[in-house]
Amino acid sequence: MKYAAKLANLTPGISPKCKAQPPIGGAVKRGFDVLGAAAALLLLSPLLLMLAALVKMSDGGGIVYGHRRIGRGGECFRCLKFRTMVENGDEVLAEHLARNPHLRAEWDATRKLQDDPRVTRVGSVLRKLSLDELPQLINILRGEMSIVGPRPVVEEELKLYGAAADIYLSTRPGLTGLWQVSGRNDVSYNARVAFDRHYVENWSFTFDLKIIARTVPAVLSSRGSY
C-alpha cells in the first residue's frame, strides 16, 4: 500500500523525487542484501527455531509480530520481529501513560520507554541482544529492507524528520545502521535523523561493511538497547 501522497500532506519536505530515484547502492547493495540474508537465515536456522520456541512457551501467544512501518518511497510494509510484548500492548501502554503522565515526554521524544510495561521477560532478553529483529532477514529478502540503512519508522515518527524525510524515504530501511552502532536509544531523535542523513549522503559499499563490523560489538555491549 502506497503512502507517499498522504505523507507528503502530513510531513513538510517530502517530495515525489524520493520515489522516482533508485535506492542508494543499486544492484550492488541489493545483491549483497539477498546473499547475506539468505546465508544468515540458513546458518542461524537452529537459533531461530530455539528463539521461536522460547517466545511461544513464555505466554502461549504468537511468535512473530509484524508492525506497520514506512519504507522507501512511502511504501508501507510489515516489519517482522519476534514478539517481545504482551499481545494487548497498545492497551497496556495507554493505561500506563495515563497512570504515569510524567512518562509522556519520554514516549513523545523517542517513541520508547526505558521501563516498558508491555515487554515480557523473554522479550526483554531478546531486545537486549537485538535477537528479536532477526525475522527482518525475511523483510530483506522481500526487498522491503536492507541489511544496512535507517531504522524503519512508523508514520508518526517520519513527521519528526521534517525536511530530512526525503533522506529517509530515498533508501530501504535497515536491519542495522549508523544509529544502531552509535548509541541507539541513548542519543536524541535529532541525532538519529542526523545519522540517517550522513549515511545516505555518504553511502559506499565500504561504509556498509564498516557498519556491519561495528554491529556485533554494539549488540554485545547492549548500549542503548531497551
Side-chain angles (χ1 to χ4, degrees):
M1 187 174 184
K2 298 181 180 180
Y3 282 77
K6 180 181 178 183
L7 290 171
N9 293 328
L10 291 173
T11 311
I14 299 180
S15 68
K17 69 180 181 181
C18 64
K19 294 190 67 179
Q21 296 177 346
I24 61 170
V28 172
K29 185 173 176 66
R30 179 61 186 151
F32 180 77
D33 285 342
V34 172
L35 292 175
L41 281 171
L42 180 62
L43 293 173
L44 297 176
S45 55
L47 174 62
L48 293 170
L49 290 173
M50 183 188 72
L51 295 177
L54 287 173
V55 172
K56 186 64 177 179
M57 290 187 297
S58 65
D59 61 6
I63 295 172
V64 175
Y65 176 69
H67 195 271
R68 194 174 77 177
R69 301 296 174 101
I70 305 300
R72 192 184 81 84
E75 294 283 348
C76 178
F77 72 99
R78 292 286 176 181
C79 184
L80 303 177
K81 290 187 177 186
F82 282 122
R83 185 176 58 84
T84 60
M85 296 183 177
V86 294
E87 294 197 307
N88 61 333
D90 291 341
E91 297 172 15
V92 172
L93 176 63
E95 292 175 3
H96 186 68
L97 292 178
R99 291 195 305 267
N100 302 276
H102 62 285
L103 296 177
R104 173 60 67 176
E106 178 185 352
W107 174 256
D108 289 342
T110 64
R111 312 306 296 178
K112 290 180 178 288
L113 295 176
Q114 191 159 0
D115 185 16
D116 196 320
R118 300 171 295 172
V119 179
T120 65
R121 284 186 292 180
V122 169
S124 65
V125 176
L126 296 184
R127 285 181 162 219
K128 200 74 174 175
L129 298 174
S130 297
L131 294 173
D132 61 313
E133 297 178 355
L134 289 178
Q136 289 164 29
L137 292 167
I138 297 173
N139 290 120
I140 295 172
L141 289 179
R142 289 175 177 172
E144 298 160 338
M145 292 180 63
S146 179
I147 293 177
V148 183
R151 281 304 296 157
V153 300
V154 298
E155 190 173 297
E156 289 183 0
E157 285 182 279
L158 192 57
K159 288 184 268 189
L160 300 176
Y161 276 69
D166 270 354
I167 295 292
Y168 172 86
L169 294 171
S170 68
T171 188
R172 296 182 180 95
L175 175 61
T176 187
L178 190 57
W179 170 73
Q180 292 93 312
V181 301
S182 303
R184 297 187 67 169
N185 298 308
D186 287 344
V187 301
S188 68
Y189 210 97
N190 285 338
R192 172 175 172 171
V193 173
F195 284 135
D196 288 348
R197 177 186 288 277
H198 180 79
Y199 171 75
V200 172
E201 293 178 344
N202 296 276
W203 181 86
S204 71
F205 186 62
T206 301
F207 196 9
D208 273 4
L209 294 180
K210 288 180 178 178
I211 291 174
I212 292 170
R214 291 174 57 188
T215 297
V216 174
V219 168
L220 293 178
S221 71
S222 300
R223 181 188 170 197
S225 298
Y226 54 82

